[in-house]
Structure formats: structure tokens, C-alpha cells
Coordinates of all heavy atoms in Angstrom, one line a residue:
M133 N -29.0 1.6 5.1 CA -29.1 2.3 6.4 C -30.5 3.1 6.4 O -31.1 3.1 7.5 CB -27.9 3.2 6.6 CG -27.9 3.8 8.0 SD -27.7 2.5 9.2 CE -26.5 3.3 10.2
I134 N -30.9 3.6 5.3 CA -32.2 4.3 5.3 C -33.4 3.4 5.6 O -34.3 3.7 6.4 CB -32.4 5.0 3.9 CG1 -31.4 6.1 3.8 CG2 -33.8 5.5 3.8 CD1 -31.5 6.8 2.4
D135 N -33.3 2.1 5.1 CA -34.4 1.2 5.4 C -34.5 0.9 6.9 O -35.6 0.8 7.5 CB -34.2 -0.1 4.7 CG -34.4 0.0 3.2 OD1 -35.1 0.9 2.8 OD2 -33.9 -0.8 2.4
F136 N -33.3 0.8 7.6 CA -33.3 0.6 9.0 C -33.9 1.7 9.7 O -34.8 1.6 10.6 CB -31.9 0.3 9.5 CG -31.8 0.3 11.0 CD1 -32.2 -0.9 11.7 CD2 -31.4 1.4 11.7 CE1 -32.1 -0.9 13.1 CE2 -31.3 1.4 13.1 CZ -31.7 0.2 13.8
R137 N -33.5 2.9 9.3 CA -34.1 4.1 10.0 C -35.6 4.3 9.8 O -36.3 4.7 10.8 CB -33.3 5.4 9.5 CG -31.9 5.4 10.0 CD -31.3 6.7 9.6 NE -29.9 6.7 10.0 CZ -29.0 7.6 9.7 NH1 -29.4 8.7 9.0 NH2 -27.8 7.5 10.1
A138 N -36.0 4.0 8.6 CA -37.4 4.1 8.3 C -38.2 3.1 9.1 O -39.2 3.5 9.7 CB -37.7 3.9 6.8
T139 N -37.7 1.9 9.2 CA -38.4 0.8 10.0 C -38.4 1.2 11.5 O -39.4 1.1 12.1 CB -37.7 -0.5 9.8 OG1 -37.7 -0.8 8.4 CG2 -38.4 -1.6 10.5
Y140 N -37.3 1.7 11.9 CA -37.2 2.0 13.3 C -38.1 3.2 13.7 O -38.8 3.2 14.7 CB -35.7 2.4 13.6 CG -35.4 2.6 15.1 CD1 -35.1 1.5 15.9 CD2 -35.4 3.9 15.7 CE1 -34.8 1.7 17.2 CE2 -35.1 4.1 17.0 CZ -34.8 3.0 17.8 OH -34.5 3.1 19.1
L141 N -38.2 4.2 12.8 CA -39.0 5.4 13.0 C -40.5 5.0 13.0 O -41.2 5.4 13.9 CB -38.7 6.4 12.0 CG -39.4 7.7 12.2 CD1 -39.0 8.4 13.5 CD2 -39.1 8.7 11.0
V142 N -40.9 4.2 12.0 CA -42.3 3.8 11.9 C -42.7 2.9 13.2 O -43.8 3.1 13.7 CB -42.6 3.0 10.6 CG1 -43.9 2.4 10.6 CG2 -42.4 4.0 9.5
G143 N -41.8 2.0 13.6 CA -42.1 1.3 14.8 C -42.2 2.1 16.0 O -43.1 1.9 16.8
G144 N -41.3 3.1 16.1 CA -41.4 4.0 17.2 C -42.7 4.9 17.2 O -43.3 5.2 18.2
L145 N -43.1 5.2 16.0 CA -44.3 6.0 15.8 C -45.5 5.2 16.3 O -46.4 5.7 17.0 CB -44.5 6.5 14.4 CG -45.8 7.3 14.1 CD1 -45.8 8.5 14.9 CD2 -45.8 7.6 12.6
V146 N -45.6 3.9 15.8 CA -46.7 3.1 16.2 C -46.7 2.9 17.8 O -47.8 3.0 18.4 CB -46.6 1.7 15.5 CG1 -47.6 0.7 16.1 CG2 -46.8 1.8 14.0
Q147 N -45.6 2.7 18.4 CA -45.5 2.6 19.8 C -46.0 3.9 20.5 O -46.7 3.8 21.5 CB -44.1 2.3 20.2 CG -43.9 2.0 21.7 CD -44.5 0.7 22.1 OE1 -44.7 -0.2 21.4 NE2 -44.8 0.6 23.4
T148 N -45.6 5.0 20.0 CA -45.9 6.3 20.6 C -47.4 6.5 20.5 O -48.1 6.9 21.4 CB -45.1 7.4 19.9 OG1 -43.7 7.2 20.1 CG2 -45.5 8.8 20.5
L149 N -47.9 6.3 19.3 CA -49.4 6.5 19.1 C -50.2 5.6 19.9 O -51.2 6.0 20.5 CB -49.8 6.3 17.6 CG -49.2 7.4 16.6 CD1 -49.5 7.0 15.2 CD2 -49.7 8.8 17.0
T150 N -49.8 4.3 20.1 CA -50.5 3.4 20.9 C -50.5 3.9 22.4 O -51.5 3.8 23.1 CB -49.8 2.0 20.8 OG1 -49.9 1.6 19.4 CG2 -50.6 1.0 21.7
A151 N -49.3 4.3 22.8 CA -49.2 4.8 24.2 C -50.1 6.0 24.4 O -50.8 6.1 25.4 CB -47.8 5.1 24.6
W152 N -50.1 6.9 23.5 CA -50.9 8.1 23.6 C -52.4 7.8 23.6 O -53.2 8.3 24.4 CB -50.6 9.1 22.4 CG -51.4 10.3 22.5 CD1 -51.1 11.4 23.4 CD2 -52.5 10.8 21.8 NE1 -52.0 12.4 23.2 CE2 -52.9 12.1 22.2 CE3 -53.2 10.2 20.7 CZ2 -54.0 12.7 21.6 CZ3 -54.3 10.8 20.2 CH2 -54.7 12.1 20.6
L153 N -52.8 6.9 22.7 CA -54.3 6.5 22.6 C -54.7 5.8 23.9 O -55.9 5.9 24.3 CB -54.5 5.6 21.4 CG -54.5 6.3 20.1 CD1 -54.5 5.3 19.0 CD2 -55.7 7.2 19.9
Q154 N -53.8 5.1 24.6 CA -54.1 4.4 25.8 C -54.0 5.3 27.1 O -54.3 4.9 28.2 CB -53.1 3.2 26.1 CG -53.4 2.1 25.1 CD -52.4 1.0 25.2 OE1 -51.3 1.2 25.8 NE2 -52.7 -0.1 24.6
G155 N -53.6 6.6 26.8 CA -53.6 7.6 27.9 C -52.3 7.5 28.7 O -52.2 8.2 29.7
D156 N -51.2 6.8 28.1 CA -50.0 6.7 28.8 C -49.0 7.9 28.5 O -48.0 8.0 29.2 CB -49.3 5.4 28.5 CG -50.1 4.2 28.9 OD1 -50.8 4.3 29.9 OD2 -49.9 3.2 28.3
L157 N -49.3 8.7 27.6 CA -48.5 9.9 27.3 C -49.4 11.2 27.6 O -50.3 11.5 26.9 CB -48.1 9.9 25.8 CG -47.0 9.0 25.4 CD1 -46.8 9.0 23.9 CD2 -45.7 9.2 26.2
P158 N -49.0 11.9 28.6 CA -49.8 13.1 29.0 C -49.5 14.3 28.1 O -48.8 15.2 28.5 CB -49.4 13.3 30.5 CG -47.9 12.8 30.5 CD -47.9 11.7 29.5
M159 N -50.0 14.3 26.9 CA -49.9 15.4 26.0 C -51.1 15.6 25.2 O -51.9 14.6 25.0 CB -48.6 15.3 25.2 CG -48.6 14.1 24.2 SD -47.2 14.0 23.1 CE -45.8 13.9 24.3
T160 N -51.3 16.8 24.7 CA -52.5 17.1 23.8 C -52.2 16.5 22.4 O -51.0 16.2 22.1 CB -52.7 18.6 23.7 OG1 -51.6 19.2 23.0 CG2 -52.9 19.2 25.1
R161 N -53.2 16.5 21.7 CA -53.1 16.0 20.3 C -52.1 16.9 19.5 O -51.3 16.5 18.7 CB -54.5 16.0 19.6 CG -54.5 15.6 18.2 CD -55.9 15.6 17.6 NE -55.9 15.1 16.3 CZ -56.4 15.8 15.3 NH1 -57.1 16.9 15.5 NH2 -56.4 15.2 14.1
E162 N -52.2 18.2 19.7 CA -51.4 19.2 19.1 C -49.9 19.0 19.5 O -49.0 19.1 18.6 CB -51.8 20.6 19.4 CG -53.1 21.0 18.8 CD -54.4 20.4 19.5 OE1 -54.3 20.0 20.7 OE2 -55.4 20.3 18.8
E163 N -49.7 18.7 20.7 CA -48.3 18.4 21.2 C -47.7 17.2 20.6 O -46.6 17.1 20.1 CB -48.2 18.3 22.7 CG -48.5 19.6 23.4 CD -48.6 19.4 24.9 OE1 -49.2 18.4 25.4 OE2 -48.1 20.3 25.7
L164 N -48.6 16.2 20.5 CA -48.1 14.9 19.9 C -47.8 15.1 18.4 O -46.8 14.7 17.9 CB -49.3 13.8 19.9 CG -49.0 12.5 19.3 CD1 -47.9 11.7 20.0 CD2 -50.3 11.7 19.3
I165 N -48.6 15.9 17.7 CA -48.4 16.2 16.3 C -47.1 17.0 16.2 O -46.2 16.7 15.3 CB -49.6 17.0 15.6 CG1 -50.8 16.0 15.5 CG2 -49.2 17.5 14.3 CD1 -52.1 16.7 15.2
D166 N -46.9 18.0 17.0 CA -45.6 18.8 16.9 C -44.4 18.0 17.2 O -43.4 18.1 16.4 CB -45.7 19.9 18.0 CG -46.7 21.0 17.6 OD1 -47.1 21.1 16.4 OD2 -47.1 21.8 18.5
H167 N -44.4 17.1 18.2 CA -43.2 16.3 18.5 C -43.0 15.3 17.4 O -41.8 15.1 17.0 CB -43.4 15.6 19.9 CG -43.4 16.5 21.1 ND1 -42.4 17.4 21.3 CD2 -44.3 16.7 22.0 CE1 -42.6 18.0 22.4 NE2 -43.8 17.6 22.9
T168 N -44.0 14.7 16.9 CA -43.8 13.7 15.8 C -43.3 14.4 14.5 O -42.4 13.9 13.9 CB -45.2 13.1 15.5 OG1 -45.7 12.4 16.7 CG2 -45.1 12.0 14.4
T169 N -43.8 15.5 14.2 CA -43.3 16.3 13.1 C -41.8 16.6 13.2 O -41.0 16.5 12.3 CB -44.1 17.6 12.9 OG1 -45.5 17.2 12.7 CG2 -43.7 18.4 11.7
D170 N -41.5 17.1 14.5 CA -40.1 17.4 14.7 C -39.1 16.3 14.4 O -38.1 16.4 13.8 CB -39.9 17.9 16.2 CG -40.5 19.3 16.4 OD1 -40.8 20.0 15.5 OD2 -40.6 19.6 17.6
V171 N -39.6 15.1 14.9 CA -38.7 13.9 14.7 C -38.6 13.6 13.2 O -37.4 13.3 12.8 CB -39.3 12.7 15.5 CG1 -38.6 11.4 15.1 CG2 -39.2 12.9 17.0
F172 N -39.7 13.6 12.5 CA -39.6 13.3 11.1 C -38.7 14.3 10.3 O -38.0 14.0 9.4 CB -41.0 13.2 10.4 CG -41.6 11.9 10.6 CD1 -42.3 11.5 11.7 CD2 -41.4 10.9 9.6 CE1 -42.9 10.3 11.9 CE2 -42.0 9.6 9.7 CZ -42.8 9.3 10.8
V173 N -38.9 15.6 10.7 CA -38.1 16.7 10.0 C -36.6 16.5 10.3 O -35.8 16.6 9.4 CB -38.5 18.0 10.5 CG1 -37.6 19.1 10.0 CG2 -40.0 18.3 9.9
L174 N -36.3 16.2 11.6 CA -34.9 16.0 11.9 C -34.3 14.8 11.2 O -33.1 14.8 10.7 CB -34.7 15.8 13.4 CG -34.9 17.0 14.3 CD1 -34.9 16.6 15.8 CD2 -33.8 18.0 14.0
L175 N -35.0 13.7 11.1 CA -34.5 12.5 10.4 C -34.3 12.9 8.9 O -33.3 12.5 8.3 CB -35.5 11.4 10.5 CG -35.0 10.1 9.7 CD1 -33.7 9.6 10.2 CD2 -36.1 9.1 9.8
G176 N -35.3 13.6 8.3 CA -35.2 14.0 6.9 C -34.0 14.9 6.7 O -33.3 14.7 5.7
E177 N -33.8 15.8 7.6 CA -32.6 16.7 7.4 C -31.3 15.9 7.5 O -30.3 16.1 6.8 CB -32.6 17.8 8.5 CG -33.7 18.8 8.2 CD -33.8 19.8 9.4 OE1 -33.2 19.6 10.4 OE2 -34.5 20.8 9.2
D178 N -31.3 14.9 8.4 CA -30.1 14.1 8.6 C -29.8 13.3 7.4 O -28.7 13.2 6.9 CB -30.3 13.2 9.8 CG -29.1 12.3 10.1 OD1 -27.9 12.8 10.2 OD2 -29.2 11.0 10.2
L179 N -30.8 12.7 6.8 CA -30.7 11.8 5.6 C -30.3 12.6 4.4 O -29.5 12.2 3.6 CB -32.0 11.1 5.4 CG -32.3 9.9 6.4 CD1 -33.6 9.3 6.1 CD2 -31.2 8.9 6.5
A180 N -30.8 13.9 4.3 CA -30.5 14.7 3.2 C -29.1 15.2 3.2 O -28.5 15.5 2.2 CB -31.5 16.0 3.2
G181 N -28.5 15.3 4.4 CA -27.1 15.7 4.5 C -26.1 14.6 4.3 O -24.9 14.9 4.3
R182 N -26.5 13.4 4.2 CA -25.6 12.3 4.0 C -25.4 11.9 2.6 O -26.4 11.8 1.9 CB -26.0 11.1 4.8 CG -25.9 11.4 6.3 CD -26.4 10.2 7.1 NE -26.4 10.6 8.5 CZ -25.7 9.9 9.4 NH1 -25.1 8.8 9.1 NH2 -25.7 10.3 10.7
P183 N -24.2 11.5 2.2 CA -24.1 11.0 0.8 C -24.8 9.7 0.7 O -24.7 8.9 1.6 CB -22.6 10.9 0.6 CG -22.0 11.0 2.0 CD -23.0 11.6 2.9
G184 N -25.5 9.5 -0.4 CA -26.3 8.3 -0.5 C -25.7 7.3 -1.4 O -26.1 6.3 -1.6

């Protein structure tokens, strides 16, 4: 399950960064970094709380 989440997250990150670089996401660089960091932290916390 972790491999699926990691693949999904990386794919989503690539899509998000591409959209931002093309000007399709109206946010600053700092906002993009903050939102991306939040997503990775939440996923890490979720994975840390699950028995492996």
C-alpha cells in the first residue's frame, strides 16, 4: 500500500508542479511549497500511524 501511495503522491506532485509552472495555479512559490509540504507531512503522519 505504501508503494501505491508514494507513486500516487509523486504523480500528483509532478502534475501540480507542471500546472504551476504553466501558470494554471494562481499561487506564489511560497504557497506552493507550503501546500506541498503539508501534503507530504500528512501522508507521513498517516503512514507512521499504521501498522506496517
Side-chain angles (χ1 to χ4, degrees):
M133 190 64 134
I134 291 175
D135 289 338
F136 171 79
R137 289 181 183 180
T139 301
Y140 189 84
L141 185 61
V142 170
L145 177 60
V146 169
Q147 184 72 23
T148 300
L149 292 175
T150 300
W152 183 75
L153 288 169
Q154 292 175 343
D156 295 333
L157 287 176
M159 61 177 62
T160 66
R161 179 177 184 232
E162 290 76 22
E163 291 171 324
L164 177 66
I165 292 168
D166 287 344
H167 291 304
T168 301
T169 302
D170 289 345
V171 170
F172 274 89
V173 168
L174 288 172
L175 178 64
E177 289 173 351
D178 181 52
L179 293 175
R182 292 181 182 234

